[in-house]
Amino acid sequence: MDAIRFMIAFCISATAYGQAWTPFSAVSAEPQKTTYGVVVYSASWCSPCQRMKATTIPELKKSGTIVNVVDASSWSNEKRASKGASGLPSTKLVKYDYTAKVWRDVGKRWAGFVSAETILSDIRGRTGTVNQVERIVRRVRNP
């Protein structure tokens, strides 16, 4: 009963102060089973890398895909190879492991410029959706 009183008081106080309140049902309490992200190795002197930063990466972020851009400008060829970056730009698909709470390499890599549609179609083929986080974000923003 105290929990119900607390929730009612919270809703009233949040509304009174003009704060938006999102019902808990709008956010899934269970972790998503498959969340994919993209790691892009790029360099400031690489023109295909700059093209990806201007076109592909904003499209991926707009779709809700998690993107991490790593600056590999000063890396030696050996260090790039150890990270799985054969050339620049080099893009790899990663998957979040909720049990271990780490990102894991899926084994899918692209060398050179790659479009957002190519990456998103690969993610769709693996999950059936672009990114399951995208649906949660939409529900929270538009309850």
Side-chain angles (χ1 to χ4, degrees):
M1 193 65 176
D2 289 331
I4 294 172
R5 286 190 190 130
F6 171 77
M7 287 303 298
I8 292 170
F10 176 78
C11 294
I12 292 170
S13 64
T15 307
Y17 290 107
Q19 298 173 350
W21 179 74
T22 304
F24 291 120
S25 62
V27 180
S28 173
E30 292 182 29
Q32 300 300 311
K33 302 285 187 272
T34 52
T35 299
Y36 287 93
V38 177
V39 178
V40 179
Y41 297 100
S42 72
S44 57
W45 45 263
C46 168
S47 62
C49 300
Q50 299 309 313
R51 192 169 140 217
M52 272 190 78
K53 285 183 183 178
T55 59
T56 304
I57 293 171
E59 289 178 40
L60 290 172
K61 287 182 178 179
K62 188 177 178 182
S63 74
T65 304
I66 299 165
V67 180
N68 183 18
V69 179
V70 178
D71 184 19
S73 298
S74 61
W75 289 6
S76 65
N77 289 336
E78 293 80 22
K79 185 171 182 179
R80 269 191 231 126
S82 71
K83 298 289 186 182
S86 57
L88 291 177
S90 184
T91 308
K92 72 177 178 179
L93 191 62
V94 292
K95 178 180 176 181
Y96 191 72
D97 181 355
Y98 283 95
T99 308
K101 299 186 185 216
V102 295
W103 288 95
R104 302 225 185 257
D105 191 356
V106 174
K108 180 66 178 180
R109 289 180 166 72
W110 295 273
F113 178 83
V114 61
S115 69
E117 186 53 42
T118 302
I119 296 170
L120 293 174
S121 67
D122 190 277
I123 294 173
R124 280 188 206 106
R126 293 170 189 269
T127 63
T129 61
V130 172
N131 193 335
Q132 294 177 354
V133 174
E134 180 181 6
R135 285 187 280 165
I136 294 172
V137 170
R138 284 184 189 159
R139 279 191 272 165
V140 170
R141 288 183 182 160
N142 304 317

